[in-house]
Amino acid sequence: NSLAAHDLRGLSRDQLNAKVVELKEELFGLRFQAATGQLESSSRMRNVRKDIARIYTVLQERNLGIVPDPDEDK
């Protein structure tokens, strides 16, 4: 269920920021489950952290002008 950087590059900044908020909330829930011993899949935590990092990478690429912002086409 991992996000691909290719798919993320097609999203707007607002969509990416919303996705980060959503993933951070999920990560918080997973950390809570881990702390209470209820976490079933520890690999999900790792995947969520990597997805967040992937989104930040795509945003940084746009900030540096490496990849054009899809919003600018409109």
Side-chain angles (χ1 to χ4, degrees), residues 47-72:
N47 290 339
V48 170
R49 281 199 308 265
K50 286 188 175 218
D51 285 343
I52 291 170
R54 215 171 273 126
I55 292 172
Y56 282 147
T57 299
V58 170
L59 288 169
Q60 187 62 10
E61 285 173 346
R62 290 182 190 174
N63 290 341
L64 297 175
I66 297 169
V67 175
D69 201 327
D71 298 340
E72 292 173 1

Side-chain angles (χ1 to χ4, degrees), residues 4-73:
H6 172 76
D7 299 334
L8 293 173
R9 288 190 181 102
L11 300 176
S12 71
R13 280 177 196 264
D14 291 340
Q15 288 172 312
L16 289 173
N17 288 329
K19 200 88 171 134
V20 166
V21 169
E22 176 187 319
L23 288 169
K24 283 191 173 188
E25 286 173 0
E26 182 179 351
L27 187 59
F28 176 81
L30 290 170
R31 280 199 192 114
F32 193 81
Q33 288 177 8
T36 57
Q38 298 171 346
L39 187 63
E40 293 177 13
S41 171
S42 58
S43 64
R44 181 64 190 143
M45 251 171 107
R46 179 180 172 157
N47 290 339
V48 170
R49 281 199 308 265
K50 286 188 175 218
D51 285 343
I52 291 170
R54 215 171 273 126
I55 292 172
Y56 282 147
T57 299
V58 170
L59 288 169
Q60 187 62 10
E61 285 173 346
R62 290 182 190 174
N63 290 341
L64 297 175
I66 297 169
V67 175
D69 201 327
D71 298 340
E72 292 173 1
D73 298 341

